[in-house]
Amino acid sequence: MPANHRMQLLLSLLLLAISPPSWWQRRSTWWGALAVGVNWGTSSSHTLPPSVVVTELLKANGVARVKLFDADPSALASLVGSGIGVSIGVPNEMLRALSSSKSAAASWVHDNVMRYLPTAGGAVRIEFVAIGDEPFLLSYGQEFQPFVVGAATNVQRSLAAMDLANKIKVIVPCSSDIYQSESNLPSKNHFRPDLNKTMIELLSFLHEYGSPFVINMNPFASLQQNKNLSLGHFLFQTNSHPLTDGANKYKNYFDMSIDSLVSALSKVGYGEMDIIVGKIGWPTDGAMNATPAIAQRFMQGLMTHLQSKAGTPLRPKRPPRETYAFSLLDEDRRSIKSGNYERHWGIFTFDGQAKYTVDLGQGSKALVNAHDVEYLAQKWCIVNNNKDTSNISGSVSQACSNADCSALSAGGSCSGIGWPGNASYAFNSFFQLHDQSADSCDFGGLGLITTVDPSIDDCLYTVAVRTSHSISTSIHRGVEWSIWIHGRTLVSFFLLVWL
């Protein structure tokens, strides 16, 4: 370790030793108790300032813990002294390097953990380091799988060397496709055969260091894929038809999912391992059944179920140790490979306005919206009806191949607005993405800048928030989209999605 790093480490450990005990002791007060947090993702073209997110959304709404997908310095700097428990993440792309090099792992821990330990200005309550984000996802194949346990081991050793192993736990967020069953019965679930060896190694590691198993759930995708279960089953409706599995009856998707994992864990000897739900939520746009009203029913049902501490048939009165709602904010640059709804998971809109009511820690009060939001000018880009629009499909394709047109998809909030609203929506999305530059509303003369809000009912034409950084226009992946133009011509094109 470089000499300057050693000096900073010694100073940090000294400050940790003499800092008020409440920082680490507060962690122990909830360690075994039920806890709810939120995921805070930043895959957006125009993000709210982290200070606004922390002060006006997290703290104002009583959110006690937050899960980040990386270790963004601006987010962590804003969390200093907040008292909010934090999970930081190692990106999948770094797993190979951290697995192969102990010094790389030590440097990562120094740069992303040690620098946020107690200082005169406070500290970030880092409680977990997540190794990757769903690195065992079936679609990844072997891309990350060989490096997960090695990276986790090296990060754990680095934490131990800094006397943090008992204070910060190493976890690995896993997608629910790590286990499978030849039926819908939870008791029949087992880990995927291609993961058996790696999963045994991971579970042994987690058990040795007292870390929980982290599972991510996607009830909306499960609803789309499983036609045998009703919507009510996912929304915690008490009158939904239960699924019978031997002596156990399952009235909701959540309990089924937890016990599916418990069954898989039990089959390899780790049936008592603590479980954290790392991601769970419901989208509000971009598909059928993705609406704020249904999302509210799901989230309220989930919170009521967790607060009851009823547990599941296989774990009665033992709910997951922690559950993290997905997600805090909408993100217009998330990949839509799995569905157009992927950009609409937020409990809050991209600019911090609550879409519905759910208890995140604020109790019976309504959620508090962000108020110190600086927007761009109140102007929009729409179709110029005084021009010949017979060849407008190419311009719409240009707009949607870069900007977010997910609300125009079937079942989306803007799917029924028709011509020329759908084309204007596409134009405006592109216009806002590019910070309202005049040339981004040209489209060969077919665009027109207006100061009259063109929003139609629930279809909102947004105005971007002002940011201090320029957007990236790198494009990596193609997903086919279709919208109707003039109500008669179906235009199909590829919407290229940022990774």
Side-chain angles (χ1 to χ4, degrees):
M1 183 181 294
N4 62 328
H5 281 198
R6 288 197 298 271
M7 180 60 69
Q8 291 176 32
L9 173 60
L10 289 172
L11 290 173
S12 295
L13 291 175
L14 177 61
L15 283 167
L16 178 60
I18 64 175
S19 63
S22 59
W23 180 50
W24 293 116
Q25 288 179 354
R26 274 183 298 178
R27 183 177 184 274
S28 64
T29 62
W30 61 263
W31 184 251
L34 178 69
V36 173
V38 297
N39 287 270
W40 174 12
T42 55
S43 297
S44 300
S45 60
H46 294 72
T47 56
L48 287 174
S51 58
V52 171
V53 174
V54 172
T55 303
E56 300 181 17
L57 295 183
L58 299 180
K59 293 181 69 175
N61 288 299
V63 176
R65 47 198 49 84
V66 66
K67 182 165 158 282
L68 307 178
F69 293 95
D70 52 21
D72 179 68
S74 59
L76 288 171
S78 296
L79 286 161
V80 169
S82 68
I84 296 172
V86 180
S87 172
I88 61 175
V90 176
N92 289 337
E93 293 73 20
M94 293 188 65
L95 297 183
R96 179 192 290 266
L98 298 193
S99 175
S100 61
S101 171
K102 294 179 182 178
S103 62
S107 293
W108 190 93
V109 170
H110 172 271
D111 293 343
N112 298 286
V113 178
M114 288 302 298
R115 71 165 58 182
Y116 299 105
L117 290 182
T119 65
V124 180
R125 281 182 57 197
I126 298 175
E127 296 168 337
F128 296 103
V129 174
I131 305 301
D133 181 35
E134 302 183 346
F136 304 130
L137 197 66
L138 187 60
S139 60
Y140 288 152
Q142 293 289 311
E143 186 176 0
F144 306 114
Q145 181 182 332
F147 314 112
V148 173
V149 177
T153 300
N154 284 340
V155 169
Q156 179 70 44
R157 287 171 177 166
S158 298
L159 290 171
M162 299 174 187
D163 197 28
L164 296 173
N166 293 325
K167 304 176 180 74
I168 300 175
K169 296 297 181 180
V170 174
I171 56 176
V172 179
C174 296
S175 56
S176 57
D177 67 359
I178 59 167
Y179 52 79
Q180 60 186 33
S181 171
E182 288 65 47
S183 70
N184 281 331
L185 301 179
S187 64
K188 302 299 183 182
N189 273 269
H190 54 84
F191 290 115
R192 291 194 334 245
D194 64 293
L195 283 178
N196 279 340
K197 181 176 181 296
T198 301
M199 197 55 63
I200 292 297
E201 294 173 351
L202 174 61
L203 292 170
S204 176
F205 168 85
L206 297 175
H207 177 73
E208 179 179 357
Y209 295 105
S211 293
F213 193 96
V214 179
I215 189 72
N216 293 346
M217 298 183 184
N218 190 337
F220 188 78
S222 296
L223 172 65
Q224 292 184 314
Q225 297 162 5
N226 195 329
K227 305 304 181 184
N228 295 324
L229 297 176
S230 67
L231 177 61
H233 190 82
F234 289 84
L235 301 182
F236 299 90
Q237 292 181 357
T238 56
N239 60 351
S240 64
H241 185 70
L243 174 77
T244 300
D245 183 3
N248 296 323
K249 293 186 182 297
Y250 292 90
K251 296 183 178 180
N252 62 74
Y253 158 88
F254 184 79
D255 288 354
M256 282 181 59
S257 297
I258 293 294
D259 280 1
S260 293
L261 174 59
V262 171
S263 294
L265 290 169
S266 298
K267 287 179 173 64
V268 292
Y270 292 92
E272 293 304 310
M273 181 169 284
D274 276 348
I275 293 172
I276 284 179
V277 177
K279 282 171 59 177
I280 186 169
W282 198 276
T284 59
D285 207 341
M288 296 295 295
N289 292 319
T291 69
I294 296 178
Q296 175 170 295
R297 289 166 63 192
F298 173 79
M299 292 299 294
Q300 288 182 343
L302 172 64
M303 295 306 169
T304 298
H305 187 57
L306 291 173
Q307 289 164 4
S308 74
K309 299 186 180 182
T312 69
L314 292 184
R315 287 191 171 182
K317 301 186 184 305
R318 188 185 169 189
R321 196 165 76 186
E322 298 173 35
T323 300
Y324 289 82
F326 185 73
S327 184
L328 183 65
L329 296 157
D330 281 348
E331 301 169 74
D332 67 347
R333 295 180 68 184
R334 280 184 59 81
S335 168
I336 57 170
K337 186 177 181 180
S338 60
N340 301 330
Y341 58 84
E342 285 287 351
R343 294 175 174 176
H344 302 279
W345 289 105
I347 297 170
F348 293 86
T349 57
F350 75 99
D351 55 347
Q353 308 306 299
K355 302 179 192 175
Y356 53 86
T357 298
V358 64
D359 181 7
L360 296 179
Q362 85 282 7
S364 59
K365 298 182 295 183
L367 288 171
V368 177
N369 294 328
H371 51 84
D372 288 330
V373 181
E374 186 178 359
Y375 295 89
L376 298 180
Q378 293 292 296
K379 56 184 180 180
W380 298 261
C381 179
I382 61 173
V383 172
N384 187 343
N385 286 320
N386 293 322
K387 300 288 186 177
D388 178 6
T389 58
S390 58
N391 294 317
I392 199 172
S393 59
S395 296
V396 173
S397 176
Q398 174 195 349
C400 287
S401 66
N402 288 276
D404 177 28
C405 293
S406 55
L408 292 171
S409 55
S413 60
C414 299
S415 60
I417 61 176
W419 168 263
N422 45 20
S424 290
Y425 185 92
F427 280 13
N428 186 63
S429 293
F430 186 85
F431 180 61
Q432 303 298 336
L433 176 70
H434 292 278
D435 300 318
Q436 300 182 350
S437 64
D439 59 352
S440 67
C441 188
D442 182 50
F443 298 106
L446 297 178
L448 175 69
I449 296 176
T450 179
T451 56
V452 178
D453 187 351
S455 297
I456 306 170
D457 298 327
D458 292 333
C459 178
L460 303 180
Y461 291 55
T462 61
V463 171
V465 297
R466 191 177 302 280
T467 62
S468 59
H469 64 277
S470 59
I471 62 169
S472 169
T473 56
S474 60
I475 301 169
H476 299 279
R477 217 181 258 152
V479 180
E480 190 173 7
W481 277 63
S482 300
I483 63 173
W484 287 95
I485 302 295
H486 289 289
R488 59 178 184 275
T489 304
L490 182 63
V491 177
S492 295
F493 51 88
F494 279 89
L495 175 59
L496 300 176
V497 184
W498 291 276
L499 286 175

